[in-house]
Amino acid sequence: MAIFELDPKKPNSDRRALIARPRRLRQSETLRAMVRETELNARDFIYPLFVRHGQGRTPIASMPGVSQLSVLEAVREAETAAKLGIPAVILFGIPAEKDPLGLENFAQDGVVQQAIRLIKREVPEMLVVTDVCLCEYTDHGHCGILNTGEHFQASLPEGYVLNDPTLNVLGKVAVSHAACGADIVAPSGMLDGMVIAIREALDVNGFENVPILSYAIKYASAFYGPFRDAAEGAPKFGDRKSHQMDPANIREALREAALDVDEGADMLMVKPALAYLDVIRSVKNAFPEIPMAAYNVSGEYAMIKAAAANGWIDESRVTLETLLAMKRAGADLIITYHALDAARWLN
Ligand code: PBG
């Protein structure tokens, strides 16, 4: 068969002189590394720990590799994280007993209070962040005091999460954490005014130097499913749509961020992360001066673990690519269950 051969020595009249060739900078790993725009580091991570009473570790079925930990095991896990260069853990507590108010949430010997004290004693360089919310502690699994019984307000539906009465409880919880040595408190309930309420409670109790990382933009997301097993905090009825945000909204995210900044939030969070990278970018552009965290939530973790367990994806590459995307979108910090693995892969 006769084919056409181009004479390489003759200028080809069809060939354009390509002045811009982005591929020039992709020719070797050294060159690619030199022009890389975003870098993921172990120091970007905040590692979540689920702390419970009793001994040992209780694996969480829907989150392979994650367990509920005794206070001692939580300390061990914090040590491991510290050795890998991870600067912070965030604590979630599973109380011995649940009640309508969630009393263990601000008890002297509450499980989170014990864990804060012991981690700060044994691993003092580790920053301890605490989740400040009611849902893991209340018997109904909601993030606040409900409109029922002695608190009943006829103008609101039965079972509605009451805003202002709950703020007082959040203040108590935050102060109890700070008193045990928590470095940062992170209110996650999406109640109006939670940041200023906690700021005032901390300040009048002498904790004006404890920063607030606000879960400012938290969506009513199906991606929290595995967490609710882990923290045993699923609502017993209804959902969280009367306080968490509608996944359809992004302008509202800017309003939530602005309110929390006004109320004194030192850092902001967007949650979940993966399906909300546009929100992370928008909030970062609007508040470039405020450090921002993204919460790579339980459902995002479970999806990677499940696909990897089936051999359908490369776990380390997909995980690092996902976390990098969150940074590229504008997150300065990432709360992630992958923290230990990711730090090992990066080191
Ligand atoms: C509430 C809280 C939740 C998560 C973190 N804090 C659950 C919820 O709002 O229902 C979810 C985290 C995750 O899914 O990894 N205290």
Side-chain angles (χ1 to χ4, degrees):
M1 169 170 48
I3 57 166
F4 285 106
E5 287 290 357
L6 292 182
D7 180 347
K9 284 176 296 275
K10 277 205 190 131
N12 176 351
S13 57
D14 286 344
R15 203 176 97 192
R16 295 169 47 213
L18 283 184
I19 293 175
R21 288 182 183 272
R23 293 186 60 195
R24 287 188 197 112
L25 299 182
R26 296 181 198 141
Q27 293 182 78
S28 71
E29 177 49 28
T30 318
L31 197 45
R32 289 190 292 272
M34 211 169 76
V35 297
R36 192 159 289 145
E37 299 173 28
T38 312
E39 197 187 14
L40 199 58
N41 290 295
R43 66 173 175 277
D44 304 328
F45 301 148
I46 301 176
Y47 183 41
L49 302 178
F50 297 101
V51 195
R52 71 173 313 151
H53 294 276
Q55 309 293 317
R57 296 176 173 239
T58 312
I60 299 158
S62 52
M63 300 177 73
V66 180
S67 295
Q68 296 177 342
L69 307 169
S70 69
V71 172
L72 275 179
E73 291 295 332
V75 172
R76 292 211 179 107
E77 203 71 2
E79 277 166 356
T80 307
K83 285 193 190 113
L84 288 165
I86 295 164
V89 292
I90 181 166
L91 303 183
F92 297 95
I94 298 126
E97 273 168 43
K98 304 196 183 208
D99 52 72
L101 265 181
L103 292 175
E104 190 181 317
N105 213 351
F106 44 93
Q108 292 273 354
D109 57 349
V111 73
V112 161
Q113 285 77 5
Q114 293 180 38
I116 302 166
R117 284 192 292 258
L118 209 60
I119 294 171
K120 291 311 297 181
R121 200 182 80 193
E122 302 296 323
V123 202
E125 72 275 25
M126 178 57 70
L127 294 172
V128 174
V129 186
T130 58
D131 186 78
V132 177
C133 193
L134 271 60
C135 56
E136 291 123 60
Y137 291 86
T138 51
D139 52 6
H140 45 70
H142 281 287
C143 304
I145 296 175
L146 296 186
N147 192 31
T148 186
E150 56 173 308
H151 299 280
F152 190 71
Q153 296 177 23
S155 59
L156 295 167
E158 173 93 28
Y160 183 78
V161 174
L162 294 173
N163 199 85
D164 299 10
T166 304
L167 298 180
N168 190 34
V169 181
L170 294 177
K172 280 192 201 174
V173 175
V175 168
S176 83
H177 293 169
C180 293
D183 297 288
I184 300 172
V185 294
S188 66
M190 288 295 285
L191 297 192
D192 296 333
M194 66 181 184
V195 173
I196 185 72
I198 289 174
R199 186 71 274 154
E200 283 173 359
L202 288 172
D203 288 5
V204 299
N205 286 281
F207 299 113
E208 54 280 281
N209 289 326
V210 173
I212 299 175
L213 163 59
S214 178
Y215 286 66
I217 299 133
K218 178 172 176 181
Y219 287 91
S221 168
F223 283 97
Y224 309 148
F227 175 95
R228 292 180 185 173
D229 295 345
E232 299 175 14
K236 294 287 176 295
F237 62 90
D239 54 39
R240 306 216 202 286
K241 291 180 186 167
S242 83
H243 44 111
Q244 298 181 346
M245 274 180 54
D246 184 335
N249 293 358
I250 187 166
R251 296 190 296 265
E252 187 187 356
L254 299 177
R255 178 152 200 258
E256 282 284 3
L259 286 170
D260 282 13
V261 170
D262 272 356
E263 289 179 29
D266 300 280
M267 295 185 268
L268 297 173
M269 192 196 303
V270 172
K271 178 184 171 191
L274 192 52
Y276 297 85
L277 296 177
D278 56 332
V279 179
I280 296 174
R281 171 46 58 200
S282 297
V283 174
K284 189 64 189 176
N285 286 350
F287 299 94
E289 72 283 18
I290 307 282
M292 197 171 54
Y295 200 139
N296 173 218
V297 300
S298 57
E300 299 168 26
Y301 176 84
M303 289 194 304
I304 290 185
K305 284 288 177 180
N310 278 293
W312 296 336
I313 57 167
D314 178 328
E315 181 177 352
S316 60
R317 291 188 56 206
V318 170
T319 302
L320 293 177
E321 187 175 331
T322 302
L323 297 172
L324 183 73
M326 292 165 193
K327 263 202 102 174
R328 194 191 59 232
D332 303 294
L333 299 165
I334 304 171
I335 303 180
T336 179
Y337 306 99
H338 298 288
L340 299 188
D341 283 338
R344 286 189 191 109
W345 295 325
L346 289 168
N347 288 343

